[in-house]
Amino acid sequence: MTQYIPEPTLGRLPWYLAYVSMLRASDVDYVSSTAIARELNVDPSQTAKDLSFLKIKGRTRVGYSVSELEQKLTQFLGFRRQHLAVMIGCGSLGRALIADSGLQRFGLRIVAGFDTDPALAGREVDGVGIYPMSSLEEMRPRLGAEIAVIAVPVDKAQNAADHAVAAGIRALWNFTPFRIRTREDIIVQNTSIYSHLAVMYNRLASVTPSPCKQ
Amino acid sequence: MTQYIPEPTLGRLPWYLAYVSMLRASDVDYVSSTAIARELNVDPSQTAKDLSFLKIKGRTRVGYSVSELEQKLTQFLGFRRQHLAVMIGCGSLGRALIADSGLQRFGLRIVAGFDTDPALAGREVDGVGIYPMSSLEEMRPRLGAEIAVIAVPVDKAQNAADHAVAAGIRALWNFTPFRIRTREDIIVQNTSIYSHLAVMYNRLASVTPSPCKQ
């Protein structure tokens, strides 16, 4: 049984992993939590606390073994295990995510796509077949997928989620800005990339441009 | 001069927009902030405060005009204005983002891609040309792009960011899990989609599966 880790910690662990992987590639052998914290602009006591979840022992004055830390983080984050998923909504974003090999590198394997558009059913994206939405319930157990990636238009998000849950999906990775309501035991992770644009646009408009090169 | 809005508020405004657009499509004319809050699982006083930034007046007992709220939110979030961007790193994720028409719908127009891989330079993705990284500094002012989307491998993130800033870029949309360090006046927005996988995997592993349909 995996330990339940606070979400902010889980959000920071991949930063640490990215950083120690870089150190390993540069042949650095040891690193202290203070050095990691400094490099990543995190409070040092927070980093020490985050890393304590890994149950890894550092050496006094030397710090953590970089390769051991990298290995523990990778294992802990589950990026090496394969997690099967279906893509619900195979429009522009859905197809882009299917085609992104990064997801696979981080342990997510999309095994099938589903779409209500009959024109898409029967097509393939990067070797992943697209099926009619109506066949999700029947196909899901055979596919073994526990995760559904939701990349439908925003007004179809709740419906897609309900459909996925009815088909036995346990976790929803929601790429729409819609707040999905579902059973308490269903895991929902919201990744509305477009929301981040709003922050960026506002900051761009409210900051006085610095003199920049012509 | 645009008002500086707290990031959590800016993160929620697109949820409200998604919801009111749905209401408008269903021919609903008025909605209260309480109803929005309830539907989106947000504290009602928070929603009222968020919407107060829009300087929109609701009517007692009736609430806000749905179409006016939608229009104000869209305008406020800047999704209708065109923001020019360059893609730095045109591997799997970079090309997927270029091909995602959703970004364009939310006001981000990627006008060129840059990559250090000579095999990619000269290619096109969805009509967007890919150029050698070395020509970014010379091309950027002519392109008029103020935003750089960073989709390089994690160990190239800092370098790509430095390069972009030297070329006159004012905002970095960082898709890597690396914490970029840059000048104070540069806007950095981190969207590490893979970090969200870590949260989902941990929750999946720590939750006892509910009995699900076979």
PDB file of all heavy atoms in Angstrom, chain A residues 189-209:
ATOM      1  N   GLN A 189      -7.716  14.638 -11.612  1.00  0.00           N
ATOM      2  CA  GLN A 189      -6.567  15.531 -11.694  1.00  0.00           C
ATOM      3  C   GLN A 189      -6.852  16.536 -12.809  1.00  0.00           C
ATOM      4  O   GLN A 189      -7.107  16.141 -13.952  1.00  0.00           O
ATOM      5  CB  GLN A 189      -5.307  14.704 -11.994  1.00  0.00           C
ATOM      6  CG  GLN A 189      -4.029  15.493 -11.965  1.00  0.00           C
ATOM      7  CD  GLN A 189      -3.699  16.013 -10.567  1.00  0.00           C
ATOM      8  OE1 GLN A 189      -4.023  15.393  -9.565  1.00  0.00           O
ATOM      9  NE2 GLN A 189      -3.070  17.165 -10.502  1.00  0.00           N
ATOM     10  N   ASN A 190      -6.865  17.805 -12.461  1.00  0.00           N
ATOM     11  CA  ASN A 190      -7.186  18.841 -13.445  1.00  0.00           C
ATOM     12  C   ASN A 190      -5.929  19.463 -14.020  1.00  0.00           C
ATOM     13  O   ASN A 190      -5.062  19.899 -13.281  1.00  0.00           O
ATOM     14  CB  ASN A 190      -8.027  19.938 -12.789  1.00  0.00           C
ATOM     15  CG  ASN A 190      -9.377  19.424 -12.341  1.00  0.00           C
ATOM     16  OD1 ASN A 190     -10.142  18.882 -13.137  1.00  0.00           O
ATOM     17  ND2 ASN A 190      -9.661  19.554 -11.052  1.00  0.00           N
ATOM     18  N   THR A 191      -5.835  19.480 -15.323  1.00  0.00           N
ATOM     19  CA  THR A 191      -4.692  20.086 -16.001  1.00  0.00           C
ATOM     20  C   THR A 191      -5.240  20.954 -17.115  1.00  0.00           C
ATOM     21  O   THR A 191      -5.312  20.532 -18.258  1.00  0.00           O
ATOM     22  CB  THR A 191      -3.760  19.005 -16.587  1.00  0.00           C
ATOM     23  OG1 THR A 191      -3.326  18.145 -15.537  1.00  0.00           O
ATOM     24  CG2 THR A 191      -2.541  19.623 -17.252  1.00  0.00           C
ATOM     25  N   SER A 192      -5.655  22.145 -16.725  1.00  0.00           N
ATOM     26  CA  SER A 192      -6.222  23.013 -17.747  1.00  0.00           C
ATOM     27  C   SER A 192      -5.122  23.929 -18.252  1.00  0.00           C
ATOM     28  O   SER A 192      -4.866  24.991 -17.704  1.00  0.00           O
ATOM     29  CB  SER A 192      -7.370  23.807 -17.153  1.00  0.00           C
ATOM     30  OG  SER A 192      -7.828  24.725 -18.104  1.00  0.00           O
ATOM     31  N   ILE A 193      -4.441  23.478 -19.307  1.00  0.00           N
ATOM     32  CA  ILE A 193      -3.273  24.242 -19.749  1.00  0.00           C
ATOM     33  C   ILE A 193      -3.664  25.653 -20.193  1.00  0.00           C
ATOM     34  O   ILE A 193      -2.897  26.579 -20.060  1.00  0.00           O
ATOM     35  CB  ILE A 193      -2.455  23.525 -20.855  1.00  0.00           C
ATOM     36  CG1 ILE A 193      -3.251  23.325 -22.130  1.00  0.00           C
ATOM     37  CG2 ILE A 193      -1.909  22.201 -20.374  1.00  0.00           C
ATOM     38  CD1 ILE A 193      -2.376  22.818 -23.292  1.00  0.00           C
ATOM     39  N   TYR A 194      -4.896  25.808 -20.684  1.00  0.00           N
ATOM     40  CA  TYR A 194      -5.302  27.114 -21.170  1.00  0.00           C
ATOM     41  C   TYR A 194      -5.460  28.124 -20.032  1.00  0.00           C
ATOM     42  O   TYR A 194      -5.310  29.324 -20.235  1.00  0.00           O
ATOM     43  CB  TYR A 194      -6.590  26.998 -21.986  1.00  0.00           C
ATOM     44  CG  TYR A 194      -6.506  25.945 -23.058  1.00  0.00           C
ATOM     45  CD1 TYR A 194      -7.443  24.933 -23.162  1.00  0.00           C
ATOM     46  CD2 TYR A 194      -5.452  25.948 -23.968  1.00  0.00           C
ATOM     47  CE1 TYR A 194      -7.350  23.958 -24.142  1.00  0.00           C
ATOM     48  CE2 TYR A 194      -5.347  24.975 -24.948  1.00  0.00           C
ATOM     49  CZ  TYR A 194      -6.302  23.973 -25.035  1.00  0.00           C
ATOM     50  OH  TYR A 194      -6.210  23.013 -25.993  1.00  0.00           O
ATOM     51  N   SER A 195      -5.783  27.615 -18.826  1.00  0.00           N
ATOM     52  CA  SER A 195      -5.896  28.524 -17.680  1.00  0.00           C
ATOM     53  C   SER A 195      -4.575  29.238 -17.425  1.00  0.00           C
ATOM     54  O   SER A 195      -4.543  30.385 -16.999  1.00  0.00           O
ATOM     55  CB  SER A 195      -6.289  27.756 -16.414  1.00  0.00           C
ATOM     56  OG  SER A 195      -7.557  27.189 -16.567  1.00  0.00           O
ATOM     57  N   HIS A 196      -3.470  28.531 -17.691  1.00  0.00           N
ATOM     58  CA  HIS A 196      -2.172  29.141 -17.461  1.00  0.00           C
ATOM     59  C   HIS A 196      -1.928  30.308 -18.411  1.00  0.00           C
ATOM     60  O   HIS A 196      -1.169  31.219 -18.114  1.00  0.00           O
ATOM     61  CB  HIS A 196      -1.062  28.098 -17.600  1.00  0.00           C
ATOM     62  CG  HIS A 196      -1.092  27.085 -16.509  1.00  0.00           C
ATOM     63  ND1 HIS A 196      -0.024  26.306 -16.180  1.00  0.00           N
ATOM     64  CD2 HIS A 196      -2.065  26.745 -15.642  1.00  0.00           C
ATOM     65  CE1 HIS A 196      -0.353  25.518 -15.175  1.00  0.00           C
ATOM     66  NE2 HIS A 196      -1.591  25.765 -14.843  1.00  0.00           N
ATOM     67  N   LEU A 197      -2.567  30.240 -19.564  1.00  0.00           N
ATOM     68  CA  LEU A 197      -2.446  31.353 -20.503  1.00  0.00           C
ATOM     69  C   LEU A 197      -3.014  32.630 -19.895  1.00  0.00           C
ATOM     70  O   LEU A 197      -2.456  33.707 -20.068  1.00  0.00           O
ATOM     71  CB  LEU A 197      -3.184  31.039 -21.801  1.00  0.00           C
ATOM     72  CG  LEU A 197      -2.486  30.068 -22.758  1.00  0.00           C
ATOM     73  CD1 LEU A 197      -3.407  29.713 -23.909  1.00  0.00           C
ATOM     74  CD2 LEU A 197      -1.200  30.699 -23.290  1.00  0.00           C
ATOM     75  N   ALA A 198      -4.132  32.495 -19.165  1.00  0.00           N
ATOM     76  CA  ALA A 198      -4.771  33.663 -18.562  1.00  0.00           C
ATOM     77  C   ALA A 198      -3.808  34.373 -17.623  1.00  0.00           C
ATOM     78  O   ALA A 198      -3.719  35.603 -17.621  1.00  0.00           O
ATOM     79  CB  ALA A 198      -6.034  33.242 -17.814  1.00  0.00           C
ATOM     80  N   VAL A 199      -3.075  33.587 -16.823  1.00  0.00           N
ATOM     81  CA  VAL A 199      -2.112  34.181 -15.900  1.00  0.00           C
ATOM     82  C   VAL A 199      -1.037  34.923 -16.684  1.00  0.00           C
ATOM     83  O   VAL A 199      -0.709  36.076 -16.402  1.00  0.00           O
ATOM     84  CB  VAL A 199      -1.471  33.092 -15.000  1.00  0.00           C
ATOM     85  CG1 VAL A 199      -0.464  33.718 -14.047  1.00  0.00           C
ATOM     86  CG2 VAL A 199      -2.545  32.335 -14.224  1.00  0.00           C
ATOM     87  N   MET A 200      -0.530  34.276 -17.720  1.00  0.00           N
ATOM     88  CA  MET A 200       0.549  34.868 -18.500  1.00  0.00           C
ATOM     89  C   MET A 200       0.096  36.162 -19.187  1.00  0.00           C
ATOM     90  O   MET A 200       0.806  37.166 -19.167  1.00  0.00           O
ATOM     91  CB  MET A 200       1.040  33.861 -19.528  1.00  0.00           C
ATOM     92  CG  MET A 200       2.527  33.949 -19.755  1.00  0.00           C
ATOM     93  SD  MET A 200       3.164  32.454 -20.536  1.00  0.00           S
ATOM     94  CE  MET A 200       1.927  32.074 -21.735  1.00  0.00           C
ATOM     95  N   TYR A 201      -1.081  36.131 -19.783  1.00  0.00           N
ATOM     96  CA  TYR A 201      -1.593  37.318 -20.482  1.00  0.00           C
ATOM     97  C   TYR A 201      -1.756  38.481 -19.498  1.00  0.00           C
ATOM     98  O   TYR A 201      -1.422  39.620 -19.813  1.00  0.00           O
ATOM     99  CB  TYR A 201      -2.948  37.039 -21.129  1.00  0.00           C
ATOM    100  CG  TYR A 201      -2.933  36.013 -22.239  1.00  0.00           C
ATOM    101  CD1 TYR A 201      -4.117  35.419 -22.662  1.00  0.00           C
ATOM    102  CD2 TYR A 201      -1.750  35.629 -22.863  1.00  0.00           C
ATOM    103  CE1 TYR A 201      -4.132  34.486 -23.686  1.00  0.00           C
ATOM    104  CE2 TYR A 201      -1.759  34.689 -23.883  1.00  0.00           C
ATOM    105  CZ  TYR A 201      -2.956  34.112 -24.287  1.00  0.00           C
ATOM    106  OH  TYR A 201      -2.975  33.183 -25.291  1.00  0.00           O
ATOM    107  N   ASN A 202      -2.310  38.160 -18.320  1.00  0.00           N
ATOM    108  CA  ASN A 202      -2.523  39.234 -17.352  1.00  0.00           C
ATOM    109  C   ASN A 202      -1.203  39.842 -16.905  1.00  0.00           C
ATOM    110  O   ASN A 202      -1.064  41.055 -16.815  1.00  0.00           O
ATOM    111  CB  ASN A 202      -3.299  38.707 -16.137  1.00  0.00           C
ATOM    112  CG  ASN A 202      -3.536  39.798 -15.093  1.00  0.00           C
ATOM    113  OD1 ASN A 202      -2.767  39.939 -14.140  1.00  0.00           O
ATOM    114  ND2 ASN A 202      -4.553  40.610 -15.289  1.00  0.00           N
ATOM    115  N   ARG A 203      -0.214  39.000 -16.658  1.00  0.00           N
ATOM    116  CA  ARG A 203       1.090  39.501 -16.224  1.00  0.00           C
ATOM    117  C   ARG A 203       1.755  40.316 -17.329  1.00  0.00           C
ATOM    118  O   ARG A 203       2.365  41.347 -17.075  1.00  0.00           O
ATOM    119  CB  ARG A 203       2.012  38.337 -15.830  1.00  0.00           C
ATOM    120  CG  ARG A 203       1.492  37.487 -14.679  1.00  0.00           C
ATOM    121  CD  ARG A 203       1.292  38.282 -13.410  1.00  0.00           C
ATOM    122  NE  ARG A 203       0.830  37.469 -12.295  1.00  0.00           N
ATOM    123  CZ  ARG A 203      -0.400  37.523 -11.779  1.00  0.00           C
ATOM    124  NH1 ARG A 203      -1.298  38.353 -12.287  1.00  0.00           N
ATOM    125  NH2 ARG A 203      -0.732  36.757 -10.763  1.00  0.00           N
ATOM    126  N   LEU A 204       1.621  39.852 -18.574  1.00  0.00           N
ATOM    127  CA  LEU A 204       2.204  40.589 -19.699  1.00  0.00           C
ATOM    128  C   LEU A 204       1.579  41.966 -19.831  1.00  0.00           C
ATOM    129  O   LEU A 204       2.257  42.943 -20.115  1.00  0.00           O
ATOM    130  CB  LEU A 204       1.993  39.821 -21.008  1.00  0.00           C
ATOM    131  CG  LEU A 204       3.090  38.857 -21.432  1.00  0.00           C
ATOM    132  CD1 LEU A 204       2.652  38.055 -22.642  1.00  0.00           C
ATOM    133  CD2 LEU A 204       4.392  39.599 -21.753  1.00  0.00           C
ATOM    134  N   ALA A 205       0.268  42.034 -19.597  1.00  0.00           N
ATOM    135  CA  ALA A 205      -0.432  43.306 -19.768  1.00  0.00           C
ATOM    136  C   ALA A 205      -0.222  44.241 -18.599  1.00  0.00           C
ATOM    137  O   ALA A 205      -0.330  45.451 -18.744  1.00  0.00           O
ATOM    138  CB  ALA A 205      -1.925  43.053 -19.977  1.00  0.00           C
ATOM    139  N   SER A 206       0.108  43.691 -17.426  1.00  0.00           N
ATOM    140  CA  SER A 206       0.211  44.564 -16.255  1.00  0.00           C
ATOM    141  C   SER A 206       1.645  44.936 -15.906  1.00  0.00           C
ATOM    142  O   SER A 206       1.879  45.753 -15.042  1.00  0.00           O
ATOM    143  CB  SER A 206      -0.492  43.944 -15.043  1.00  0.00           C
ATOM    144  OG  SER A 206       0.002  42.670 -14.767  1.00  0.00           O
ATOM    145  N   VAL A 207       2.588  44.352 -16.606  1.00  0.00           N
ATOM    146  CA  VAL A 207       3.991  44.673 -16.361  1.00  0.00           C
ATOM    147  C   VAL A 207       4.440  45.698 -17.400  1.00  0.00           C
ATOM    148  O   VAL A 207       4.111  45.586 -18.575  1.00  0.00           O
ATOM    149  CB  VAL A 207       4.866  43.400 -16.458  1.00  0.00           C
ATOM    150  CG1 VAL A 207       6.334  43.744 -16.628  1.00  0.00           C
ATOM    151  CG2 VAL A 207       4.653  42.523 -15.242  1.00  0.00           C
ATOM    152  N   THR A 208       5.156  46.694 -16.957  1.00  0.00           N
ATOM    153  CA  THR A 208       5.719  47.660 -17.903  1.00  0.00           C
ATOM    154  C   THR A 208       6.840  46.972 -18.665  1.00  0.00           C
ATOM    155  O   THR A 208       7.728  46.391 -18.049  1.00  0.00           O
ATOM    156  CB  THR A 208       6.298  48.873 -17.161  1.00  0.00           C
ATOM    157  OG1 THR A 208       5.360  49.268 -16.175  1.00  0.00           O
ATOM    158  CG2 THR A 208       6.563  50.017 -18.103  1.00  0.00           C
ATOM    159  N   PRO A 209       6.802  47.009 -19.982  1.00  0.00           N
ATOM    160  CA  PRO A 209       7.854  46.311 -20.727  1.00  0.00           C
ATOM    161  C   PRO A 209       9.218  46.873 -20.374  1.00  0.00           C
ATOM    162  O   PRO A 209       9.374  48.084 -20.226  1.00  0.00           O
ATOM    163  CB  PRO A 209       7.524  46.602 -22.193  1.00  0.00           C
ATOM    164  CG  PRO A 209       6.189  47.238 -22.227  1.00  0.00           C
ATOM    165  CD  PRO A 209       5.882  47.745 -20.851  1.00  0.00           C
TER     166      PRO A 209
END
